[in-house]
């Protein structure tokens, strides 16, 4: 079983739709939760970062963490064609000597105009 | 401020050839990473360097070597390339927080 599971999609939605992207994880040691956005043929870039259960909002984006269910979500409101990209969840845990970060496989999102 | 840069952008090798992928960052970060990204597999850590002078294996280190030349530069070497090493390679760096900053990637094909 992978430590982080993410549905690869693709997910296709019309412009203006609300998008929900999800990841589940198995390691309860993960403390920090991130969402990266990756445009085609580019490197990933950090979109959202949170370290506690609950919601964090930034513009049209909301990150949600439920540590009791080991489940994280990213919601995109009023989706735009420019949101078309691959979204990767990532989780980190500290350990003696450093940090361990595990990435999900990524969900490809297409927003149709 | 260029962030993380990688060279080359594209490379085609024949089986058995060697090459070095170069990475440099100008953000004064201590930690640097090499990942490979394959369809359906996500980003998998090959090697990382927590600070200048130290390197450690990640999840998939076989067939690779690394050198942390100085604080700015972290190179990845394939001594004898194999078709299974066809992938997109990303270098990343991290400061004191958890955010990793990624380079633009190198697309490698091994024939």
């Amino acid at each position: 079983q992978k430590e982080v599971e993410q549905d690869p999609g693709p997910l296709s939605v019309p412009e203006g739709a609300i998008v929900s992207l999800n990841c589940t994880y198995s390691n309860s040691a993960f403390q920090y939760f991130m969402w990266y956005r990756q445009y085609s043929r580019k490197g990933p870039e950090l979109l959202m970062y949170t370290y506690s259960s609950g919601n964090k909002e930034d513009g049209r984006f909301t990150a949600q963490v439920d540590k009791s269910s080991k489940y994280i979500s990213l919601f995109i409101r009023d989706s735009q064609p420019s949101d078309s990209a691959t979204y990767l969840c990532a989780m980190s845990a500290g350990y003696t000597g450093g940090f361990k970060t595990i990435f999900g496989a990524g969900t490809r999102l297409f927003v149709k105009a | 401020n260029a962030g993380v840069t990688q060279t080359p952008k594209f490379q085609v090798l024949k089986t058995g050839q060697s090459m070095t992928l170069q990475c440099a960052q100008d953000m004064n970060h201590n930690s640097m990473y090499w990942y490979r990204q394959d369809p359906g597999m996500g980003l998998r850590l090959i090697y990382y360097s927590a600070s200048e002078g130290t390197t450690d294996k990640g999840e998939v280190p076989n067939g690779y070597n690394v050198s942390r030349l100085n604080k700015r530069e972290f190179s990845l070497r394939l001594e004898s390339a194999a078709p299974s090493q066809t992938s997109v390679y990303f270098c990343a760096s991290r400061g004191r927080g958890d955010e990793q900053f990624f380079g633009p990637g190198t697309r490698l094909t091994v024939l």
Side-chain angles (χ1 to χ4, degrees):
Chain A
Q1 182 189 7
K2 291 182 182 179
E3 283 190 274
V4 177
E5 298 277 1
Q6 183 176 12
D7 187 336
L11 180 62
S12 183
V13 301
E15 183 176 358
I18 296 174
V19 175
S20 173
L21 304 168
N22 311 294
C23 286
T24 59
Y25 62 97
S26 57
N27 188 346
S28 58
F30 288 134
Q31 303 165 291
Y32 308 98
F33 304 91
M34 293 152 280
W35 286 95
Y36 284 80
R37 179 175 59 195
Q38 185 177 20
Y39 290 114
S40 181
R41 296 183 177 269
K42 302 286 187 184
E45 56 181 350
L46 185 68
L47 190 61
M48 296 286 285
Y49 170 90
T50 184
Y51 58 86
S52 60
S53 283
N55 294 351
K56 181 178 181 180
E57 192 172 314
D58 184 0
R60 295 184 296 110
F61 300 90
T62 299
Q64 188 176 79
V65 175
D66 183 345
K67 289 187 176 180
S68 62
S69 301
K70 298 190 180 67
Y71 189 89
I72 70 170
S73 300
L74 177 70
F75 298 97
I76 307 175
R77 289 185 299 280
D78 187 25
S79 56
Q80 303 295 309
S82 59
D83 294 327
S84 297
T86 296
Y87 291 80
L88 299 95
C89 62
M91 305 170 191
S92 289
Y95 66 96
T96 304
F99 277 90
K100 171 182 175 180
T101 301
I102 302 294
F103 288 83
T107 300
R108 291 191 71 188
L109 172 67
F110 297 96
V111 181
K112 298 171 293 184
Chain B
N1 190 339
V4 179
T5 57
Q6 291 182 237
T7 56
K9 286 187 168 56
F10 303 93
Q11 185 71 50
V12 179
L13 293 177
K14 294 180 179 178
T15 296
Q17 288 185 316
S18 62
M19 78 161 295
T20 300
L21 282 65
Q22 306 286 354
C23 174
Q25 52 94 7
D26 61 3
M27 294 173 283
N28 202 36
H29 287 166
N30 285 320
S31 299
M32 297 186 73
Y33 306 82
W34 275 106
Y35 292 92
R36 59 179 290 173
Q37 186 175 40
D38 303 290
M41 303 292 288
L43 287 162
R44 291 184 292 168
L45 184 64
I46 304 171
Y47 270 94
Y48 67 99
S49 171
S51 61
E52 185 179 353
T54 68
T55 60
D56 284 288
K57 295 178 180 179
E59 180 185 354
V60 288
N62 292 344
Y64 306 95
N65 285 302
V66 290
S67 295
R68 183 74 183 267
L69 304 168
N70 47 55
K71 194 170 186 178
R72 290 188 65 247
E73 299 172 288
F74 188 36
S75 63
L76 178 72
R77 182 160 178 85
L78 286 70
E79 291 291 350
S80 179
S84 61
Q85 294 178 305
T86 292
S87 188
V88 182
Y89 291 85
F90 288 101
C91 176
S93 70
R94 183 173 67 83
R96 285 183 290 179
D98 288 289
E99 179 179 3
Q100 293 189 31
F101 296 83
F102 287 83
T106 294
R107 291 182 172 273
L108 175 66
T109 301
V110 183
L111 303 175

